[in-house]
Amino acid sequence: MIVIDIVQRSEKVAIEISKYLIQNKYAIHTHIDTNKIFGNNSEMTTVRLFFITKALLFDSIYNDVNAKFGSSDLLIYASPVSHIAKDFGDDLRLKLKAV
C-alpha cells in the first residue's frame, strides 16, 4: 500500500479529482488539506489531496489524473505504507480496483 499525494492550487479541482478516484475504485475515500508552501522569498497556498491505495495502481492513477486534470501546478507523488490496520487493509484490498 502507498499514500498518494496530489498537490495543486484549487479546492474545486481537488474535489473533482477525489470524485474521479472514488468512482474509478482508485480510492475508498480521500482527504483534502489546504497548505502553505514557503520557498526562496515566496509563499503560496496549495491544496493537497491524499489517500491510501494499492502500490500497483500508482502508474494508472498518475496517468489518468494527469490526462484528465493535468496542469502546470499539478504534482503527484507517493510514499510507502509499512503498517496498516488489518480491517482497513482488508477493506482496501476488497474494494479497490483489481490489479
Side-chain angles (χ1 to χ4, degrees):
M1 297 294 174
I2 56 176
V3 175
I4 293 184
D5 289 275
I6 300 175
V7 180
Q8 45 79 49
R9 293 185 185 194
S10 168
E11 186 173 346
K12 180 180 177 185
V13 172
I15 291 168
E16 290 176 26
I17 294 171
S18 292
K19 289 176 182 178
Y20 177 81
L21 293 168
I22 293 166
Q23 288 171 353
N24 286 281
K25 296 188 177 182
Y26 288 136
I28 293 175
H29 61 267
T30 66
H31 305 267
I32 298 174
D33 290 340
T34 301
N35 299 283
K36 289 204 181 286
I37 294 178
F38 293 93
N40 293 332
N41 299 320
S42 67
E43 177 183 326
M44 120 178 61
T45 300
T46 61
V47 178
R48 180 178 76 123
L49 179 161
F50 62 101
F51 59 99
I52 297 177
T53 192
K54 296 175 180 175
L56 291 173
L57 290 175
F58 180 81
D59 288 337
S60 295
I61 293 167
Y62 180 87
N63 292 332
D64 288 358
V65 169
N66 265 309
K68 190 161 178 71
F69 303 97
S71 68
S72 62
D73 67 339
L74 183 69
L75 173 63
I76 302 172
Y77 59 91
S79 304
V81 173
S82 63
H83 296 80
I84 195 164
K86 182 184 179 332
D87 292 343
F88 185 49
D90 291 345
D91 205 28
L92 289 168
R93 284 184 277 284
L94 179 67
K95 294 180 179 175
L96 293 178
K97 185 176 280 205
V99 184

